[in-house]
Amino acid sequence: MADFKDSLIFPAGERFDNENFSGEVWLKMLTGMPCPVANVTFAPACRNNWHTHRGGQILLVTAGRGYYQEWGKDARELRAGDVVEIPAEVKHWHGAAPDSWFSHIAMEIHPELGPATWLEPVSDEVYGKLK
């Protein structure tokens, strides 16, 4: 992690122990309300559960290799420089590739509508199809 953390644009922050993530993740809040922005860093193979955002979300990929997937669609590989616009109430997940660290900036859209709705974990069957 030390080499990867040294390459990040924003600090990785503190380890974030949360039942909505499979694996190790670090979180650094960069701003608060009215527009929360966070740097989220995933260890290899770490991903978050399926979830939705009431107002939507934007991800700015800053390092490593990861994936984003919407319910019912194929996963999209992500690399530094990619942008993901997630519409409100779209069920999705995002996280690191099996063999790579991954970091993105997460920006909440209309956070005043409420927090994310966390759902079931991404199954090993779904995640196992990724390379």
Side-chain angles (χ1 to χ4, degrees), residues 83-105:
V83 175
V84 181
E85 295 181 66
I86 305 166
E89 300 298 344
V90 169
K91 185 176 179 178
H92 68 281
W93 69 269
H94 34 100
D99 61 350
S100 177
W101 288 86
F102 178 63
S103 190
H104 65 55
I105 301 299

Side-chain angles (χ1 to χ4, degrees), residues 7-28:
S7 72
L8 295 177
I9 296 170
F10 296 97
E14 300 298 319
R15 180 143 183 238
F16 184 60
D17 291 319
N18 186 292
E19 64 189 20
N20 296 309
F21 290 81
S22 299
E24 294 182 298
V25 64
W26 288 259
L27 177 69
K28 173 65 175 173

Side-chain angles (χ1 to χ4, degrees), residues 65-86:
R65 188 170 72 88
Y67 288 94
Y68 165 79
Q69 185 175 17
E70 292 181 5
W71 186 259
K73 296 184 179 181
D74 290 336
R76 173 181 159 195
E77 183 178 41
L78 301 175
R79 294 185 181 271
D82 288 337
V83 175
V84 181
E85 295 181 66
I86 305 166

